[in-house]
Amino acid sequence: HFEDDNFTLNQERVRAILDGIIARGLRFTWDTPNGVRADLLAKDVLAKMKQTGCLDLTVGVESGDQTVLDNIVGKRLKLTRVIDSAKACHELGIPLQAFFVLGFPGERVEDMERSVAFAEMLAESYAVQNHFMVATPLYGTRLYQICKDKGYLVSELTPEALSRGTQAGGSPLIRTEDFGPQDIR
């Protein structure tokens, strides 16, 4: 498992790693369970990934709504690039998984519905396996501070509540004027 969230961030580095595996004739299988940047999966890099034994790639999309990505999550990722990567992976026979997060303060129910629709399109068109998580205000994060300052926390953040909140399909811990836990479920 390449547990490096930034594995594809430096394109020269990832190409050098893949070229090194090829040059040395190393034979093993690998994946990226934590996720990598979907917008940094050039087709030549993906082909080398496949050649070096990549069995599965995971990307962190976060939201299938461009406005949420731009203005709430603050992730500089264009959904068109996610589609390009999904298409290339599909063509090369590399299974792709994608992580999405629902329930950010500022997000609305219709934004979450667009995110789910985007994920469904990826699944239907490119066989992407999608995973949905709920936004969880972990201590020390900007999300926690926003939720605390605005009174968005639905309960005390006990270790048990945080454990439930961070699991796939977890229990939502945030309620805003735009959505509640039941909307996220």
Side-chain angles (χ1 to χ4, degrees):
H1 302 300
F2 282 104
E3 297 281 348
D4 181 356
D5 295 351
N6 296 312
F7 184 59
T8 60
L9 192 59
N10 180 327
Q11 292 288 286
E12 288 179 35
R13 175 181 173 255
V14 74
R15 282 184 172 92
I17 291 169
L18 298 172
D19 288 341
I21 293 169
I22 294 166
R24 289 169 181 81
L26 301 176
R27 306 191 65 68
F28 59 93
T29 57
W30 59 274
D31 62 6
T32 60
N34 280 5
V36 295
R37 292 285 305 216
D39 54 343
L40 297 175
L41 296 175
K43 196 150 187 184
D44 70 301
V45 171
L46 287 169
K48 286 182 184 190
M49 288 177 165
K50 177 77 174 185
Q51 183 182 354
T52 59
C54 179
L55 292 179
D56 182 84
L57 285 175
T58 302
V59 293
V61 180
E62 317 315 342
S63 177
D65 181 279
Q66 192 65 58
T67 302
V68 171
L69 278 176
D70 294 343
N71 301 325
I72 296 172
V73 178
K75 185 167 187 171
R76 287 180 246 149
L77 173 68
K78 296 299 177 200
L79 293 175
T80 54
R81 296 293 307 272
V82 174
I83 294 168
D84 293 343
S85 292
K87 181 179 179 183
C89 284
H90 188 66
E91 288 171 357
L92 290 166
I94 301 173
L96 185 65
Q97 298 185 56
F99 289 132
F100 292 86
V101 180
L102 300 175
F104 291 107
E107 196 171 17
R108 299 166 302 157
V109 171
E110 51 268 26
D111 301 328
M112 292 182 237
E113 289 170 346
R114 278 192 290 279
S115 195
V116 170
F118 181 79
E120 288 174 341
M121 180 278 297
L122 290 176
E124 292 169 7
S125 300
Y126 307 109
V128 175
Q129 183 180 0
N130 298 301
H131 304 277
F132 287 90
M133 311 295 274
V134 297
T136 303
L138 301 174
Y139 290 111
T141 64
R142 189 178 74 129
L143 177 59
Y144 171 77
Q145 200 58 53
I146 290 168
C147 291
K148 184 178 174 194
D149 292 348
K150 296 193 175 200
Y152 290 161
L153 299 173
V154 298
S155 66
E156 185 180 337
L157 293 185
T158 64
E160 183 180 336
L162 287 170
S163 178
R164 282 195 316 268
T166 56
Q167 301 303 309
S171 300
L173 298 169
I174 300 172
R175 173 183 286 112
T176 73
E177 51 279 345
D178 296 310
F179 65 84
Q182 70 283 358
D183 297 310
I184 297 171
R185 281 190 202 100

